[in-house]
Amino acid sequence: MNRRRALAGRRFRLQLYRLGMAFIFIAAWQAASGPLIPEFFISKPSAILASLRAQVATGNLFFHIGITASEAFVGFALGALAGVAAGVLLGRIHFLADLLQPFILAFYSLPKIALAPLFILWIGIGMTMKIVLTGTVVFFLVFLNTFTGVRTVSKELEAILHLMGASERHVLTKVVLPSAVTWVFAGLRISVPYALIGAIVGELIASNKGLGFVLANASGQFDTAGVFAALLVIMMLAFALNALVRFAEIRLMPWKTSGAQLDREITI
Amino acid sequence: MNEPLISFRGVGKTFQADDKDVEAVRDIDLDVARGEFVTLVGPSGCGKSTLLNMTAGLLAPTTGTVRYNGRAVDGVNRHTGYMTQNDHLLPWRTVAANIQVPLEIQGRSRAEMRDKIQALMELVGLLGFEKSYPAQLSGGMRKRVALARLLAYDPETLLLDEPFAALDAQLRLNMQIELLGLSRRLNKSVLFVTHDLDEAAALGDRCVVFTARPGRIRAILASPLPRERDLMRLRHDGQYVRLAAELWDMITPTLAATRGETA
Ligand SMILES: Nc1ncnc2c1ncn2[C@@H]1O[C@H](COP(=O)(O)OP(=O)(O)OP(=O)(O)O)[C@@H](O)[C@H]1O
Ligand SMILES: [Mg+2]
């Protein structure tokens, strides 16, 4: 019990230091803006806050957040679903994987963002294009992770299940899929920032709504505070998406969190 | 003796590892009768696990044939249940759910599964740990879960690879008594690998002693003990003591040889 209290104390102190650091940073920013560095470049916290408040007041901000969040979320979900399906399929069917390997590698090494202009040609500049872009980015990350997960299932374990009388379906549902889940989540977690990249780059290239648009618009009007405000909101959105994945992870993998791993704090 | 249940004829296995070949076993001739309890002992790396793998049909012999019930083993041999050296529990399932896997595969009803799991948990002494995850158990407890899972699907032949290696003396004796009683009661055939020579002598109807790699059969010692034996009192049984001593005498020279090899 004593050790636990010591641990809690240490964590509390850590939080305190973090808060202190953030406060000092913001204060220094506020003080330096103007006297040391022109406000045009770095704006200042109070101005950013004012910009945020103004946008919240008109209700515009929530509209744009909603657009970007739905693009990122739908693209993320579709890409992840397709990625898991393809990963399981190619993970289990070795011939197919061997056959497709060079093509997959070729596509993988292509920066997916570079496909945006092509997608615009195909499906225009609406939300669908951002969803497809996000989905493509997420697909590859989740696919590769799922594939690896399926491939790392122990052959001996599979054999033991076959000895129990398991069919291929049993092996898939009782061993392969559950053991790939850890990998799938690893893929999902690294995909979150990329999902936002997909949505926002899509909006930056061609859009009149969404946070990418807000960002580009503020920048176009030399409104530094507006740019920082948009960045702040994007950061919070990423945070929320991360928390969502983390929540699903805890719910779906109770065996992961029932041990000592609970007090792991930093997740990327 | 009528036809053997398991028969090895001229069985050899060579693994191709990178650039060099590893000959694990050579020229194995062995018959195991239905209902017989055979213990396998020999230095580490002599191919004991490899023999079990071939019996289960997970590996094909390089030379010779392994027959089960008169038929050459070809692919997974579903008459056997295999408790491997690694316990291979599913980390995402609780203890009870792990034991439940083979029952789910057999399509048992919920009530049936519950009763069976309860009985097995009691048998392996794990009552109260139903809801624990494997990562929360000790090595010995995990072994016991693996054994319970094996018994849940009730295979004709049990292949056990050092099943009790991680248990303390009392628990091990308990498990030995349970296993022996159960195999006699249900007339199970057992191939039992162990490094514990006393255990090999106590449990086996016959003890097969292997040489160092490539493993060949050095001797097969028939146990003078009756099929029904009281493991609690073996210590005072002269026949058992002599058998164990004989095994020790046989293994110690090979031990010296393997030590010389690695030194
Ligand atoms: N899949 C494999 N690939 C390559 N070599 C293998 C493989 N399996 C076993 N071997 C080799 O075959 C030999 C026999 O291995 P095996 O596991 O059967 O030994 P063992 O008698 O069970 O040893 P232990 O008592 O340590 O468990 C070892 O030298 C091992 O390195
Ligand atoms: Mg072994």
Side-chain angles (χ1 to χ4, degrees):
Chain A
M1 279 304 102
N2 241 336
R3 262 194 51 204
R4 178 170 298 181
R5 197 170 315 147
L7 198 73
R10 202 164 63 211
R11 199 175 293 171
F12 179 72
R13 260 204 318 278
L14 194 67
Q15 298 285 20
L16 218 62
Y17 292 155
R18 284 172 178 166
L19 259 167
M21 258 175 69
F23 182 80
I24 291 171
F25 176 74
I26 292 170
W29 187 357
Q30 179 78 20
S33 175
L36 286 178
I37 309 168
E39 201 184 324
F40 175 76
F41 292 121
I42 60 167
S43 183
K44 60 163 79 173
S46 58
I48 296 169
L49 206 68
S51 166
L52 265 180
R53 198 175 293 150
Q55 292 185 65
V56 168
T58 59
N60 262 345
L61 187 62
F62 295 109
F63 167 73
H64 293 300
I65 290 177
I67 296 289
T68 304
S70 13
E71 286 164 0
F73 185 80
V74 175
F76 183 79
L78 292 179
L81 227 62
V84 169
V88 170
L89 203 70
L90 265 65
R92 294 303 289 177
I93 306 175
H94 286 241
F95 172 73
L96 204 60
D98 293 343
L99 183 72
L100 297 180
Q101 197 213 7
F103 306 107
I104 292 169
L105 224 63
F107 268 107
Y108 182 66
S109 38
L110 183 76
K112 262 62 69 183
I113 296 299
L115 292 173
L118 190 64
F119 290 153
I120 292 177
L121 285 183
W122 286 349
I123 41 188
I125 60 165
M127 274 177 81
T128 323
M129 173 247 157
K130 284 99 192 172
I131 290 173
V132 172
L133 189 61
T134 302
T136 317
V137 174
V138 171
F139 169 82
F140 276 95
L141 294 171
V142 175
F143 162 73
L144 278 180
N145 267 277
T146 309
F147 179 79
T148 315
V150 169
R151 278 295 164 89
T152 46
V153 171
S154 148
K155 287 278 158 261
E156 202 172 57
L157 177 55
E158 262 185 58
I160 286 176
L161 244 83
H162 281 302
L163 284 174
M164 292 177 188
S167 61
E168 180 64 18
R169 182 177 61 86
H170 286 130
V171 173
L172 201 66
T173 56
K174 293 191 195 307
V175 175
V176 176
L177 293 180
S179 61
V181 165
T182 317
W183 288 84
V184 170
F185 270 106
L188 292 181
R189 240 183 295 122
I190 52 175
S191 295
V192 167
Y194 289 98
L196 279 172
I197 290 177
I200 287 168
V201 168
E203 289 164 358
L204 282 176
I205 293 176
S207 189
N208 51 10
K209 56 193 181 204
L211 291 173
F213 162 74
V214 173
L215 199 60
N217 195 38
S219 161
Q221 299 177 12
F222 303 108
D223 172 11
T224 319
V227 171
F228 275 108
L231 287 177
L232 200 67
V233 172
I234 291 170
M235 213 187 284
M236 289 193 298
L237 190 59
F239 218 72
L241 264 176
N242 256 325
L244 207 69
V245 171
R246 185 89 192 109
F247 174 74
E249 202 171 350
I250 290 171
R251 289 299 298 273
L252 280 169
M253 301 198 292
W255 70 94
K256 278 270 159 181
T257 39
S258 60
Q261 292 161 24
L262 246 187
D263 50 15
R264 204 178 50 165
E265 267 227 325
I266 297 168
T267 47
I268 300 161
Chain B
M1 207 159 87
N2 47 16
E3 194 181 346
L5 182 66
I6 309 167
S7 90
F8 299 86
R9 282 288 169 274
V11 170
K13 177 77 196 177
T14 304
F15 291 102
Q16 261 110 36
D18 300 329
D19 45 355
K20 68 176 200 308
D21 287 358
V22 176
E23 188 178 15
V25 292
R26 180 193 290 179
D27 292 335
I28 303 294
D29 287 306
L30 178 68
D31 285 341
V32 179
R34 190 179 290 276
E36 192 178 20
F37 201 122
V38 174
T39 52
L40 311 176
V41 295
S44 180
C46 75
K48 303 178 296 293
S49 301
T50 303
L51 284 179
L52 295 195
N53 281 330
M54 291 192 283
T55 313
L58 310 185
L59 282 180
T62 318
T63 60
T65 44
V66 182
R67 290 178 176 279
Y68 189 93
N69 221 348
R71 297 241 301 272
V73 174
D74 173 28
V76 175
N77 178 359
R78 294 206 169 163
H79 300 283
T80 62
Y82 191 177
M83 182 173 159
T84 49
Q85 227 161 333
N86 300 329
D87 52 54
H88 283 309
L89 297 176
L90 305 178
W92 53 87
R93 281 178 173 244
T94 62
V95 166
N98 260 289
I99 301 175
Q100 190 171 299
V101 170
L103 303 172
E104 287 171 11
I105 290 172
Q106 290 173 354
R108 304 294 188 85
S109 76
R110 278 199 176 279
E112 237 181 322
M113 291 201 283
R114 192 160 7 98
D115 294 347
K116 189 131 191 186
I117 289 169
Q118 177 73 19
L120 285 166
M121 294 291 288
E122 207 174 321
L123 179 74
V124 297
L126 280 176
L127 283 179
F129 287 96
E130 289 84 349
K131 292 197 167 65
S132 303
Y133 287 99
Q136 300 167 318
L137 303 183
S138 73
M141 292 161 88
R142 294 170 59 106
K143 285 270 180 188
R144 283 184 275 159
V145 178
L147 183 65
R149 182 178 66 176
L150 177 69
L151 296 175
Y153 63 103
D154 198 26
E156 189 176 58
T157 294
L158 304 179
L159 308 174
L160 306 172
D161 203 342
E162 301 182 33
F164 304 148
L167 306 187
D168 67 67
Q170 273 103 48
L171 195 57
R172 173 189 295 231
L173 183 60
N174 271 331
M175 298 300 295
Q176 287 170 344
I177 291 171
E178 286 300 342
L179 176 67
L180 195 64
L182 180 134
S183 66
R184 295 308 190 212
R185 213 163 49 242
L186 305 171
N187 199 35
K188 302 257 183 238
S189 320
V190 184
L191 280 182
F192 188 104
V193 173
T194 178
H195 281 290
D196 179 344
L197 300 178
D198 298 330
E199 182 174 56
L203 294 175
D205 294 318
R206 285 188 296 157
C207 309
V208 182
V209 184
F210 290 88
T211 65
R213 195 180 63 227
R216 271 161 298 171
I217 293 182
R218 194 182 135 98
I220 301 179
L221 305 183
S223 174
L225 304 170
R227 269 177 72 80
E228 305 296 332
R229 42 186 96 160
D230 184 357
L231 294 182
M232 295 274 201
R233 316 200 58 81
L234 274 185
R235 295 251 154 259
H236 313 291
D237 187 323
Q239 289 180 313
Y240 161 75
V241 174
R242 268 193 300 283
L243 178 63
E246 204 176 334
L247 282 175
W248 274 105
D249 290 345
M250 230 173 240
I251 283 288
T252 14
T254 10
L255 267 184
T258 30
R259 282 181 53 201
E261 179 188 290
T262 52

